[in-house]
């Protein structure tokens, strides 16, 4: 059997269409590969797909193409745990809108991937089912919270996967695993069936090997959904049509100086980012330095808003309606024991912080102020886009770090969102693309950031870069 592991969706489609391999062979191949690389702990469950193969629509744009789904997105009749003990064994009663649309397109959903518990974390280490390993270096984390989805694509377990991005959980792991990761505009992709963490920040995101593949998947999942009133009035659209291998004429790229020249950025990540900018210059782009005064306030503002929303969203896990239920005392003790035993340490800490910043007497100081800062961040992006088409920042400040490295440094862990969370606060799209490696073979990623609904421009820009570079084609040697 041909080595299919690192083929793109585009290449796999060609093989299936020409009859060289059957969808069935493709699925068997990737299932076996998941089994052979189970030590990565990227996948929590590989489904029994026998019935799925039969039903595969031959005509959809993703017909027979396998992918993985983060364990916080509902798949009808399948389990979904959000990598938490409180939902262990919970079975979904419906499909998330993104799942229904992917099935409609013929995609084969192979299983569900590991993640930080309830998407809270930046390393994959808060999962109740053990940490995920980075395929490039198994002693290191793959980033998080969509750790398993990123590791699965990087390890060649599937050509694409879905994640969710509340503060960077698609882009940061994409960067640390050397693949592409898209966080769409808030409201472009339906959140119906995505377990809520920070509802005003959450978006389903896409992992893939190339900008083109990312566009293919986005074309299937994006667009208005009557089941999610926060979706935007956007029609179904083919995002691959603008990918012609060239950048937009006269493209102006603004480079956020506070990110590139601020303290705390790893020098090799900086070097790779500057190298990538040179490539964009060769492609015809104009590179201009821009200043983003609010960058340093993003993480603090995100910290407050995300915890406040998390505390409210996770109140529903009370032992009555979902999953675990510890009923050995009165009602109050059921709430307490279920939530204490069911949630992990990180989740409990966030719920406490969230309730604190919303509490009477404190909300004015924390939550209301954070909302003000959020408005200022949004406005600053808007102003920056008056003078440039896209902005650039690294996707992460340090390369993939050793497991346990930040066990005693929570602040350093929380600052992992430094370069990513401002775009969630502003609701704008950002695309992380691989732009090189460190001397010890760890991938580094760079974000292309655009105004609301500029996904097409971001994907086009990244595609042009990927036509003349090969960073996205490097793969870890696992075997
Ligand atoms: N690392 C961030 C957090 O823990 C982002 C998580 C996410 O995007 N889901 O909140």
């Amino acid at each position: 059997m041909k080595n299919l592991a690192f083929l793109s969706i585009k290449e796999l489609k060609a093989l299936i269409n020409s009859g060289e391999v059957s969808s069935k062979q493709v699925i068997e191949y990737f299932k076996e590969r998941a089994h052979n690389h189970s030590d990565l702990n990227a996948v929590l469950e590989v489904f029994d797909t026998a019935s799925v193969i039969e039903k595969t629509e031959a005509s959809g744009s993703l017909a027979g193409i396998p992918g993985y789904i983060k364990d916080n997105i509902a798949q009808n009749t399948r389990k979904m745990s959000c990598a938490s003990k409180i939902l262990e064994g919970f079975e979904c009663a419906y499909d998330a809108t993104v799942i229904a649309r992917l099935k409609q397109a013929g995609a084969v959903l192979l299983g569900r991937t590991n993640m930080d518990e309830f998407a809270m974390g930046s390393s994959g280490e808060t999962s109740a089912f053990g940490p995920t390993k980075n395929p490039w270096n198994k002693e290191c984390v793959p980033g998080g919270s969509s750790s398993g989805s990123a590791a699965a694509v990087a390890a060649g377990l599937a050509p694409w996967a879905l994640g969710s991005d509340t503060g960077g959980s698609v882009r940061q792991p994409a960067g640390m695993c050397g693949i592409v990761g898209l966080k769409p505009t808030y409201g472009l992709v339906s959140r119906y069936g995505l377990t809520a963490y920070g509802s005003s920040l959450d978006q389903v995101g896409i992992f893939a090997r190339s900008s083109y593949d990312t566009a293919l998947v986005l074309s299937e999942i994006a667009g208005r959904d009557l089941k999610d009133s926060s979706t935007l009035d956007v029609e179904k659209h083919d995002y691959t049509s603008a990918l012609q291998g060239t950048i937009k004429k006269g493209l102006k790229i603004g480079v956020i100086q506070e990110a590139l020249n601020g303290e705390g950025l790893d020098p090799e990540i900086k070097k790779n980012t500057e190298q990538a900018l040179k490539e964009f210059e060769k492609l015809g782009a104009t590179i201009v330095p821009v200043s983003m005064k609010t960058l340093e306030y993003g993480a603090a503002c995100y910290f407050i808003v995300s915890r406040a929303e998390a505390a409210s969203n996770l109140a529903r896990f009370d032992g009555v309606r979902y999953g675990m239920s510890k009923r050995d005392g009165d009602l109050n003790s059921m709430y307490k024991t279920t939530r204490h035993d069911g949630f992990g340490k990180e989740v409990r800490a966030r719920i406490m912080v969230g309730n604190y910043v919303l509490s009477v007497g404190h909300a004015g100081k924390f939550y209301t102020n954070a909302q003000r800062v959020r408005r200022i961040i949004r406005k600053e992006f808007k102003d920056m886009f008056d003078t440039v088409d896209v902005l650039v920042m690294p996707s992460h400040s340090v390369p993939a770090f050793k497991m346990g490295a930040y066990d005693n440094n929570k602040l350093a862990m929380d600052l992992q969102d430094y370069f990513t969370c401002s775009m969630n606060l502003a609701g704008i799209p950002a695309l992380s693309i691989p732009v090189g490696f460190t001397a010890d073979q760890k991938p580094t990623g760079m974000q292309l950031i655009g105004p609301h609904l500029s996904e097409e421009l971001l994907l086009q820009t990244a595609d042009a870069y990927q036509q003349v570079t090969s960073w996205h084609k490097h793969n870890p040697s696992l075997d």
Side-chain angles (χ1 to χ4, degrees):
M1 181 78 176
K2 213 175 144 85
N3 183 356
L4 307 177
F6 297 106
L7 296 184
S8 64
I9 299 178
K10 200 178 180 184
E11 291 162 333
L12 262 182
K13 270 178 73 163
L15 283 185
I16 297 174
N17 290 342
S18 71
E20 206 169 316
V21 293
S22 69
S23 318
K24 198 168 171 177
Q25 283 172 318
V26 170
I27 293 164
E28 291 309 326
Y29 176 91
F30 282 107
K31 281 176 77 168
E32 190 184 325
R33 194 169 162 85
H35 180 75
N36 293 341
H37 297 289
S38 58
D39 66 309
L40 291 170
N41 204 19
V43 179
L44 290 176
E45 183 188 354
V46 179
F47 298 146
D48 169 14
T49 43
S51 57
V52 178
I53 304 173
E54 303 307 321
K55 272 189 273 168
T56 295
E57 309 255 339
S59 54
S61 83
L62 295 172
I65 305 294
Y68 278 100
I69 306 295
K70 190 176 182 177
D71 194 30
N72 60 350
I73 301 175
Q75 306 186 57
N76 192 20
T77 72
R78 303 290 191 193
K79 291 196 174 107
M80 178 183 75
S81 74
C82 297
S84 178
K85 277 208 210 127
I86 210 164
L87 277 180
E88 198 172 359
F90 171 77
E91 207 175 90
C92 301
Y94 63 91
D95 274 334
T97 294
V98 289
I99 298 298
R101 290 183 180 178
L102 285 167
K103 286 180 177 171
Q104 194 66 39
V108 178
L109 311 180
L110 284 183
R112 52 194 177 93
T113 49
N114 206 353
M115 55 184 280
D116 280 296
E117 187 177 0
F118 282 101
M120 298 176 186
S122 299
S123 67
E125 293 169 296
T126 75
S127 165
F129 306 113
T132 305
K133 293 175 181 162
N134 189 317
W136 290 94
N137 181 333
K138 292 184 184 174
E139 287 172 9
C140 293
V141 303
S145 65
S146 310
S147 53
S149 292
V153 173
L157 307 189
W160 65 272
L162 289 191
S164 66
D165 191 312
T166 305
S169 284
V170 166
R171 293 159 286 154
Q172 182 252 25
M176 288 186 172
C177 289
I179 55 173
V180 176
L182 172 70
K183 187 217 69 94
T185 301
Y186 184 79
L188 179 62
V189 177
S190 169
R191 290 181 295 114
Y192 179 75
L194 166 69
T195 309
Y197 160 19
S199 312
S200 76
L201 306 156
D202 297 338
Q203 267 295 283
V204 170
I206 301 163
F207 292 98
R209 299 191 192 293
S210 66
S211 176
Y212 184 91
D213 282 6
T214 308
L216 267 177
V217 178
L218 183 68
S219 305
E220 294 303 336
I221 64 173
R224 179 112 178 115
D225 176 23
L226 293 177
K227 291 180 178 144
D228 173 1
S229 59
S230 67
T231 51
L232 302 166
D233 199 5
V234 175
E235 295 282 304
K236 191 167 162 53
H237 176 70
D238 178 6
Y239 287 90
T240 63
S241 59
L243 310 189
Q244 308 292 351
T246 50
I247 59 167
K248 181 183 138 176
K249 241 180 139 227
L251 184 80
K252 239 185 182 177
I253 299 179
V255 183
I256 299 177
Q257 295 304 299
E258 286 79 356
L260 219 57
N261 299 321
E263 57 178 301
L265 177 64
D266 177 88
E268 289 181 289
I269 296 184
K270 175 173 169 163
K271 193 181 94 224
N272 291 347
T273 309
E274 287 171 339
Q275 199 57 45
L277 289 167
K278 290 210 181 96
E279 285 297 336
F280 280 111
E281 220 166 0
K282 280 197 232 156
L283 285 166
T286 309
I287 312 289
V288 293
V290 298
S291 167
M292 180 175 165
K293 300 265 173 329
T294 60
L295 180 67
E296 62 174 313
Y297 304 107
C301 174
Y302 169 78
F303 184 92
I304 308 275
V305 175
S306 63
R307 270 67 174 174
E309 295 187 11
S312 311
N313 278 322
L314 270 56
R316 74 191 68 187
F317 300 101
D318 56 3
V320 178
R321 286 164 292 186
Y322 308 91
M324 181 188 279
S325 185
K326 295 262 165 129
R327 301 184 179 209
D328 40 15
D330 61 10
L331 185 66
N332 271 326
S333 97
M334 178 189 71
Y335 291 153
K336 267 192 234 157
T337 330
T338 302
R339 287 168 69 79
H340 178 273
D341 295 358
F343 288 135
K345 229 168 122 191
E346 178 67 21
V347 175
R348 292 203 305 269
R350 291 192 187 206
I351 292 173
M352 278 193 256
V353 171
N355 283 323
Y356 177 77
V357 299
L358 287 174
S359 58
V360 179
H362 296 291
K365 193 160 146 215
F366 295 108
Y367 187 71
T368 318
N369 264 341
Q371 294 292 34
R372 280 196 198 110
V373 174
R374 184 176 189 171
R375 271 200 298 278
I376 296 168
I377 291 173
R378 217 177 269 182
K379 167 88 166 60
E380 186 168 37
F381 273 119
K382 205 169 162 285
D383 293 345
M384 287 190 285
F385 290 123
D386 283 343
T387 56
V388 298
D389 299 294
V390 295
L391 289 162
V392 156
M393 254 200 285
S395 309
H396 46 127
S397 56
V398 291
F401 46 88
K402 282 243 164 75
M403 300 227 182
Y406 296 144
D407 278 357
N408 297 314
N409 192 350
K410 258 187 82 55
L411 181 63
M413 188 66 95
D414 287 335
L415 287 177
Q416 286 297 307
D417 313 322
Y418 200 86
F419 293 146
T420 47
C421 64
S422 299
M423 283 72 92
N424 299 79
L425 290 163
I428 57 177
L431 179 69
S432 177
I433 53 170
V435 291
F437 290 85
T438 61
D440 58 355
Q441 278 306 300
K442 290 176 183 167
T444 81
M446 178 184 106
Q447 295 176 93
L448 294 166
I449 305 154
H452 286 91
L453 296 178
S454 62
E455 278 76 4
E456 188 148 43
L457 176 66
L458 301 183
L459 291 162
Q460 178 195 15
T461 308
D463 176 64
Y465 173 78
Q466 292 184 332
Q467 299 294 327
V468 295
T469 56
S470 62
W471 300 117
H472 63 296
K473 292 192 176 143
H474 289 241
N475 302 309
S477 51
L478 283 163
D479 308 293

